[in-house]
Amino acid sequence: MCGIVGFTGKKQAADILLDGLSKLEYRGYDSAGIAVTDDAGQTEVVKAKGRLKVLEEKTDWGRAVKGSCGIGHTRWATHGEPSEDNAHPHISDDMNVVAVHNGIIENYQEIKQKLSKNGYVFYSQTDTEAIVKLIDYYYKKYNGGPIDAIAKAMVRVRGSYALAVMFKDYPGEIYAARKDSPMIIGIENGEAYLASDVPAILNHTRNVYYIDNLEMARLSESGVQFYNIDGDIIEKTSVEIKWDAKSAEKGGYAHFMLKEIHEQPKAVADTINSVVKDGKIDFSEVGLSDEDIKGIGEIIIVACGSSYHVGMVGQYVIEDMAKIPVRVELASEFRYRTNLLRKDALVVLISQSGETADTLAALRDVKQQGIKTFAIVNVVGSSIAREADNVFYTLAGPEIAVATTKAYSTQLIVTYLLSVQLAKVRGEINDEEYSSLIKELTTLPEKIQKILDDKERIQWFASKLANQKNIFFIGRGIDYAICLEGSLKLKEISYIHSEAYAAGELKHGTISLIESGTPVVGVLTQNDLFEKTISNMVEVKSRGAYLMGLTTYGHYNLEDTADFTVYVPHTDEHFTPSLAVVPLQLLAYYVSLAKGLDADKPRNLAKSVTVE
Ligand code: AGP
């Protein structure tokens, strides 16, 4: 996700801002910019698409931009392609307000409409420009000063933000506001710093304040003052950061993978909120019309790796909800087969990176046949996103660890949303079922968080698997699709051989591999298949298997069969992959940790496979 920095004090600001942004590069970005106000109160804004190096060269490493108060930003695109116009800082027309933002303003379209009626024009596609001009609007309309204008904007917007704002009338001062997106503020020797994350200011100070949700701050040479949303002054105590620089990039987590596992509640919520408005799914920005949906004769999902596993979930969910035939294909196989596609087919391509060679090639093949394509992608402006007819962006933010977790989870969410929308438009579910499914979706973030809060049991069990040579995952239906992802997670970061098996298929050969002590993970979240899978677990137990069971609360009879049982909260059975996958992600991570491996950079693997 985006990174923001700010500085005000006696030193020149530009090189401090650039250095701070360089410490946030790990967060992933596609453009960057700074704004610096000089002693005469003039503000210069410099932005550049691409790597930070481009901005450094443009500003002669900061030397060309004078002033001791400024803000900076690295942008991970969520609304609008990577470009200079869309890069931050964003400004009001008369430079009265200049700001940078990390987060998502969900209702930015309605805010733009409101401001347009009041004479504002917009130069970018971003949600950020909307909040900048909204602050300017309130500042001029009520003449209540910066804190009042920002507070009014905070009340009006929906979404998440870490904002750093400069006002022309208040040179030398930076105003901050936060809701859900991270921000810290540091003070040292009469200098004030702000940033999205600790690494950006660790060279300057370890003395930081954590601004809380719906709070604001005023940074100046005399230090920092905090305010609540009513504009009342509040007192906060600073804390001393004890992390070293490297662990600070991971927000205190040992690995990016663990950090990204913990980012799933927010990533899932952001992705849901990107299209769910007032309890309804709004696909208008995605571009799949009701007419398109009614005309779909079959769906083919094409992807690789974990994205393919999302497709496997999608097959069960879409067929059950929308009654549309679905086929899931490995892109590397699909692209070389004689594909007999119906003209009314919809091909769905799923890719975190949007650059996977096999998936991109499959997309191009299908487009040549004149078949409609729909992409589910995490990286804005990536090749697959640009070339598909329609794209639904997951809002997982940049994913650093090679083993995908939060991107996988947001892809699942998009698959559910697509399934529900297809079912509603095609009359397969009524209004009540539609509303109930959407309401249940919005409970997933807190249910994921509940699982994360109880992760110690998984860590204990993982230590028992670290020396194993073979581990099996078995399940039926959607549970089989969950097994596929759990098995891949384990394999790719612990190097233990693992197989996911349709539980009913085991006895057709592979059960011969089960011997005393062989670990088998049974996934049982589908009520109507529960007893069937229990039987398969009893079969392998009778051959000596060491059983872990993964099910939803209430199925305590599983403990009669399994040696170790993990429970996840209840949800609509179509959505259980979003919950069941979390213990399996944690299991893989902790096994990797127990083996002393680097979970973030597993051997032989790349984050994006851009070659065949
Ligand atoms: C997932 O943990 C793996 N790193 C890998 O299977 C990945 O899902 C696959 O390469 C597809 O990548 P994509 O989603 O970027 O297309």
Side-chain angles (χ1 to χ4, degrees), residues 67-140:
S68 59
C69 179
I71 53 180
H73 188 269
T74 46
R75 179 176 183 248
W76 167 268
T78 55
H79 297 75
E81 299 295 276
S83 69
E84 268 198 38
D85 278 349
N86 289 331
H88 303 205
H90 284 288
I91 60 172
S92 61
D93 306 347
D94 55 1
M95 294 283 279
N96 177 48
V97 178
V98 181
V100 292
H101 163 232
N102 173 27
I104 293 152
I105 305 302
E106 294 158 18
N107 60 335
Y108 77 101
Q109 296 283 29
E110 69 183 65
I111 287 169
K112 286 179 77 166
Q113 285 163 13
K114 165 195 172 73
L115 293 171
S116 300
K117 290 184 187 129
N118 285 279
Y120 284 86
V121 292
F122 293 87
Y123 56 78
S124 80
Q125 303 162 281
T126 66
D127 55 339
T128 301
E129 188 188 357
I131 194 171
V132 170
K133 293 183 171 172
L134 186 65
I135 292 169
D136 179 64
Y137 169 76
Y138 286 131
Y139 181 84
K140 290 168 179 166

Side-chain angles (χ1 to χ4, degrees), residues 304-307 351-353 356 402-404 411 488-489 492 609:
C304 303
S306 292
S307 297
S351 176
Q352 185 285 130
S353 62
T356 297
V402 167
T404 183
Q411 290 169 345
L488 176 62
K489 285 277 99 40
E492 64 179 330
V609 183

Side-chain angles (χ1 to χ4, degrees), residues 257 302-309 349-360 376-379 384 399 401-405 407-408 411 485 488-489 492-493 602 605-610:
M257 183 178 176
V302 183
C304 303
S306 292
S307 297
Y308 170 79
H309 299 156
L349 303 116
I350 305 176
S351 176
Q352 185 285 130
S353 62
E355 299 298 348
T356 297
D358 288 321
T359 311
L360 179 57
I376 300 173
V377 178
N378 195 42
V379 180
I384 293 171
E399 192 172 63
V402 167
T404 183
T405 51
Y408 168 88
Q411 290 169 345
E485 180 58 11
L488 176 62
K489 285 277 99 40
E492 64 179 330
I493 63 172
L605 294 177
K607 182 60 186 169
S608 175
V609 183
T610 55

Side-chain angles (χ1 to χ4, degrees), residues 472-476 483 501-503 506 520-523 533 536-537 540:
F472 292 86
F473 291 73
I474 62 172
R476 289 170 177 259
C483 287
Y501 244 82
L506 211 58
V520 176
V521 178
V523 179
T533 306
N536 300 129
M537 291 175 74
V540 292

